[in-house]
Amino acid sequence: MSQPTTTRWRTVDIVVAAVIAVGFGVIFWAWGLLWRAVDPAFAFFPASQAVMYGVWLVPAVLGGLIIRKPGAALFCEAVAATVSALLGSEWGGITIVQGLIQGLGAELAFAAFRYRSFRLPTALLAGALTGLGAALFDFFAWNAAYELGTYRIPYALLTVLSATVVAGAGAHALTKALAGTGVLDRFPAGRERNLV
């Protein structure tokens, strides 16, 4: 457990959060193209495509783990979604609203620990909650016309699972890997390598 010395954002916090967000915004746009391209591979059970969802949720958890300040998870996810929409995501401007909801899920996990715990269990919870936000949004906004038992519920469960593994564990592993290189030395995540 580590406690941020202040909740006030430094310039380096803003710059790094923006880099994470813009970088993932481009990844989101490309991931959307891949999502559509692999549709046929999931024709046997369309809801199973939700196993790919976690990639869209990584910046929320990653931003929270690196920046460790209130609002970082929400900022990174919302800006990434905005960049994706500006690049022409097939889902349009509604992805901005979706990014806010997803970022809020991860933000709630970090807030639950008062921005003092950034270990794997917290990252997993952040991933699960951002996945829950995504699943709930999709449940009502995108998947309302689909069958409840054969599509909507399995899709929601797989979204949360994917988010927990890819965004939660994945962002934790990525933070640890980045800290090991020294690029995060200006952040607690880099100075507390053994606690990441």
Side-chain angles (χ1 to χ4, degrees):
M1 292 245 216
S2 73
Q3 181 175 6
T5 56
T6 179
T7 58
R8 189 173 182 173
W9 284 49
R10 304 168 299 162
T11 303
V12 70
D13 297 330
I14 297 166
V15 170
V16 170
V19 168
I20 291 168
V22 171
F24 271 93
V26 174
I27 291 169
F28 285 4
W29 170 79
W31 198 249
L33 298 175
L34 180 64
W35 177 276
R36 194 55 58 217
V38 300
D39 269 347
F42 294 96
F44 70 97
F45 183 46
S48 65
Q49 191 168 8
V51 299
M52 296 176 58
Y53 211 111
V55 170
W56 279 309
L57 307 172
V58 171
V61 182
L62 185 64
L65 290 173
I66 292 174
I67 308 299
R68 298 184 177 188
K69 305 264 173 87
L74 181 62
F75 176 88
C76 288
E77 190 70 25
V79 173
T82 302
V83 169
S84 173
L86 291 173
L87 289 174
S89 164
E90 74 172 90
W91 297 283
I94 195 71
T95 57
I96 298 168
V97 175
Q98 194 165 9
L100 286 166
I101 292 168
Q102 293 164 351
L104 183 59
E107 197 68 47
L108 288 173
F110 294 115
F113 291 99
R114 298 176 55 205
Y115 301 92
R116 293 181 180 169
S117 176
F118 302 96
R119 295 185 179 176
L120 182 59
T122 306
L124 294 174
L125 179 61
L129 290 180
T130 195
L132 181 62
L136 288 172
F137 184 89
D138 287 4
F139 196 86
F140 297 105
W142 301 117
N143 300 335
Y146 292 97
E147 191 66 37
L148 185 66
T150 59
Y151 189 87
R152 291 169 74 193
I153 291 175
Y155 183 94
L157 293 173
L158 288 170
T159 297
V160 173
L161 177 65
S162 176
T164 303
V165 173
V166 177
H172 183 268
L174 183 54
T175 302
K176 190 173 180 177
L178 289 169
T181 69
V183 299
L184 299 180
D185 284 349
R186 303 256 340 244
F187 297 90
R191 293 188 298 270
E192 300 170 359
R193 290 183 184 116
N194 60 335
L195 296 179
V196 176

